[in-house]
Amino acid sequence: MNNRPSNRTLFLANVVAPLGLLLVLAATATPFLLMHTPWAVQAYPFVYGAGALVLLVARLFAVYPCEDMRLKRLHRLEKWSPLVFLAADFLLFYNPTTLRDWLAFTLAGAAIQIYTSLAIPMREKKLAEQN
């Protein structure tokens, strides 16, 4: 079986997913950096949601063919971070005056993202060394 990702998967993983993450980052920084700008305060929940949706689409439609169960689990875990970001966006619309709730979910999604972004290349390197 071919263990190399397809061109579509590479495009989603290397172009679309980082765009979604950048939108989430920009929207997360907005309440702190542009808190006195009315249009930014009104728009950042929508930008955050758009970034989370773009990331979700990129993660769901990227297919990683691999035989290793740990690597499959890591790619499956990676798909949870946009779901956590969407939960944060729901809290952002539900109670926009309280920052702590959606920031907690944003940090949880970021922790998942950081863990998988470090663990997946390490596992792929280990598998490449074994072969």
Side-chain angles (χ1 to χ4, degrees), residues 22-97:
L22 285 173
L23 286 173
V24 169
L25 174 67
T28 303
T30 300
F32 303 106
L33 300 177
L34 300 172
M35 70 179 102
H36 299 295
T37 310
W39 64 268
V41 171
Q42 292 175 347
Y44 83 90
F46 298 101
V47 173
Y48 188 96
L53 283 175
V54 166
L55 185 60
L56 180 66
V57 167
R59 296 291 187 230
L60 288 180
F61 288 110
V63 179
Y64 299 95
C66 58
E67 299 294 326
D68 186 50
M69 290 305 291
R70 286 185 183 174
L71 194 55
K72 282 184 181 182
R73 178 186 53 84
L74 287 169
H75 283 296
R76 222 176 306 130
L77 179 62
E78 190 176 43
K79 294 177 183 181
W80 279 95
S81 72
L83 295 174
V84 174
F85 290 145
L86 285 172
D89 193 45
F90 168 76
L91 291 171
L92 190 56
F93 281 105
Y94 181 72
N95 192 2
T97 59

